[in-house]
Amino acid sequence: MATVEYGNGYWRTQQGSSVVVCTDDNGIKTAVNMGCDRNSNKTAVNKDGLLYDVLPYEPSVTYINGVGVLNLEPQSTNLISYSEDLSNASWVKSGVDVSLSSQVSPSGSTNVYLVKESLLDEFHKVNSSLFSTVQGNYYSYSFFVKNNGVNQVSVTSSNFTDLEINSTFDLVNETSTSEKGYSSIERIGDYYRCTASGLCNLTRTQSLLFYTNREDIAFPFSYQGNGVSGVFLWGLQSEINQIPTSYIPTDGFTATRLADTGFKTPDISKWINSESFSFEFSLQLVKEQVTQVISLANSGDGYNNRIELVFSVGEDIVAITAIGSGSFIENNATVTSTLDRSVMSDYKINFNNGIITVYIDNSLMFTSSNSGVLQGLDKLFLSNFLNTSPLLANVKNIKITS
């Protein structure tokens, strides 16, 4: 039995590639490199819960709940010009004292600010400078925060009727609630990364408003401060994405991280029996507004010999396409229309005697009504074989067994 394996907690990356382990019928292992085309730095979380810098062309492995995953993200821009320097005048303070603390940030720096509530009965907030929003786009906010006497914090857009973001985060019970939009809270080291997102209903300028909310009240978040309690705040981000992406630091200007693309193996036909194989992978999608694909293909004849799972744009539909030698076996046939994109799911595609079966989370979801022949499958693509519909997901593992 030959296998092609990637990930599953065992990661080896370098600039330009990530290692895929191929094992032949005799148990002899060979390492092959899967490429990466991202020409920009990005951040990821290491196994100790600290942010680290990922170099250009280096695959990004980040840890979620202690599990390492390949983090494939779309291009994104942090619209906040000073993501770490809350002393800058672009951050408007009201009812709070903002001062540099001695706390260590999630990246290991010492530039974390203490945001402390005043003694007055008022809003206790900081808000960013204005940025442009466009109707029909989804936007998300995110930040790293640590409790220093304030158990709850809230974040809104400056007009959350027009940009539907209004969420509160409980820093004790690790929960989030949203009156508008969606939210989540995740522990990263000693901090929580809080995220909120929502739809823009009107083109206009907006700003991110961050409130201490010690009294855990609904908007408007005005209460009697005690002059002592506060939070440590760092790494604020606003971006055009429904699902917040990895942190993009800024210092005076907006900054853009390029997409994670170009992931494909060299020729692995030696370890694939195109007539009978199992193609398994575990992943969680990180963007919803684009079509995404993962595929096995004949790189020299991909139009005619390929099998791919397709995640449809803006929907919860997963479909299967398989093209044999000049004819469709299945053409975008629906596997499921109820996928929960917010969780990690296990997928398995079996191809045997010309018949395709697809399992999701160990449940049989699809059996092909047609049969056919696949020939010369030689490359794994984390996209379609043309690399025009890249997979944007957290990928835990991939395994091909023949």
Side-chain angles (χ1 to χ4, degrees):
M1 181 176 67
T3 60
V4 177
E5 296 183 85
Y6 183 64
N8 203 26
Y10 299 95
W11 301 100
R12 179 183 164 193
T13 64
Q14 57 191 11
Q15 279 192 282
S17 66
S18 186
V19 169
V20 179
V21 178
C22 301
T23 307
D24 66 16
D25 293 334
N26 298 314
I28 297 174
K29 297 182 183 296
T30 303
V32 301
N33 290 323
M34 182 158 58
C36 172
D37 289 347
R38 188 196 68 254
N39 186 18
S40 68
N41 287 49
K42 67 178 291 188
T43 60
V45 180
N46 67 20
K47 63 183 178 181
D48 296 319
L50 296 175
L51 293 186
Y52 72 100
D53 199 33
V54 183
L55 298 176
Y57 303 107
E58 181 180 342
S60 169
V61 175
T62 197
Y63 281 76
I64 300 174
N65 297 323
V67 178
V69 296
L70 178 68
N71 181 224
L72 305 176
E73 295 186 301
Q75 177 172 310
S76 192
T77 298
N78 189 351
L79 303 174
I80 304 295
S81 298
Y82 288 90
S83 64
E84 299 172 14
D85 185 6
L86 292 176
S87 68
N88 187 270
S90 64
W91 287 102
V92 179
K93 297 87 173 173
S94 176
V96 291
D97 176 70
V98 174
S99 60
L100 190 63
S101 74
S102 60
Q103 294 290 309
V104 177
S105 77
S107 68
S109 62
T110 53
N111 60 343
V112 177
Y113 281 81
L114 172 63
V115 178
K116 184 171 62 175
E117 63 187 38
S118 71
L119 285 166
L120 300 179
D121 187 353
E122 60 180 339
F123 296 112
H124 309 282
K125 66 177 182 175
V126 295
N127 58 276
S128 72
S129 56
L130 294 171
F131 50 85
S132 298
T133 60
V134 177
Q135 182 177 350
N137 285 342
Y138 281 90
Y139 290 79
S140 65
Y141 297 158
S142 57
F143 53 89
F144 295 85
V145 65
K146 181 161 50 170
N147 185 352
N148 190 52
V150 167
N151 294 340
Q152 289 89 21
V153 297
S154 297
V155 64
T156 76
S157 49
S158 50
N159 185 311
F160 52 75
T161 298
D162 297 337
L163 178 54
E164 297 178 339
I165 298 177
N166 180 3
S167 300
T168 295
F169 304 89
D170 187 323
L171 306 182
V172 175
N173 297 310
E174 302 183 28
T175 58
S176 66
T177 56
S178 295
E179 291 189 20
K180 291 281 189 178
Y182 309 90
S183 61
S184 66
I185 182 170
E186 176 190 3
R187 180 177 285 278
I188 296 180
D190 293 334
Y191 289 78
Y192 290 107
R193 191 184 191 205
C194 300
T195 64
S197 61
L199 178 66
C200 178
N201 297 311
L202 181 68
T203 297
R204 57 169 295 170
T205 56
Q206 293 273 5
S207 62
L208 179 157
L209 278 62
F210 174 91
Y211 299 82
T212 64
N213 189 5
R214 183 169 49 84
E215 298 296 323
D216 189 21
I217 56 177
F219 184 86
F221 312 112
S222 179
Y223 64 94
Q224 180 74 50
N226 61 19
V228 177
S229 299
V231 293
F232 298 107
L233 184 61
W234 183 87
L236 294 101
Q237 184 159 302
S238 174
E239 56 186 317
I240 309 173
N241 271 311
Q242 185 171 4
I243 301 175
T245 66
S246 60
Y247 172 57
I248 305 169
T250 64
D251 187 15
F253 303 93
T254 63
T256 298
R257 181 204 60 246
L258 299 181
D260 293 288
T261 58
F263 281 84
K264 62 181 178 181
T265 65
D267 187 337
I268 55 174
S269 58
K270 176 180 177 181
W271 299 279
I272 299 177
N273 177 357
S274 298
E275 297 179 2
S276 179
F277 60 85
S278 174
F279 183 20
E280 303 171 68
F281 44 93
S282 299
L283 60 84
Q284 172 194 18
L285 299 180
V286 300
K287 189 173 177 64
E288 298 188 356
Q289 291 86 35
V290 294
T291 296
Q292 304 176 49
V293 180
I294 182 170
S295 63
L296 281 175
N298 179 324
S299 58
D301 191 21
Y303 283 105
N304 290 317
N305 280 284
R306 57 186 163 96
I307 185 167
E308 55 192 27
L309 205 64
V310 180
F311 300 91
S312 298
V313 58
E315 302 176 85
D316 294 328
I317 296 175
V318 181
I320 186 82
T321 291
I323 303 178
S325 299
S327 63
F328 280 100
I329 303 171
E330 293 293 345
N331 183 16
N332 206 37
T334 298
V335 173
T336 180
S337 58
T338 58
L339 179 70
D340 183 353
R341 294 177 178 232
S342 66
V343 300
M344 183 78 65
S345 292
D346 299 323
Y347 303 84
K348 184 176 183 179
I349 302 170
N350 289 330
F351 184 73
N352 192 26
N353 295 322
I355 301 297
I356 302 166
T357 53
V358 182
Y359 295 79
I360 300 180
D361 294 328
N362 296 316
S363 295
L364 177 62
M365 304 298 293
F366 178 84
T367 301
S368 61
S369 56
N370 306 307
S371 64
V373 176
L374 293 171
Q375 295 180 340
L377 301 180
D378 64 355
K379 288 187 179 181
L380 164 68
F381 296 81
L382 302 190
S383 65
N384 60 347
F385 78 99
L386 295 173
N387 199 33
T388 54
S389 297
L391 186 66
L392 301 171
N394 292 317
V395 181
K396 181 181 176 182
N397 63 275
I398 301 172
K399 183 175 183 180
I400 305 166
T401 306
S402 300

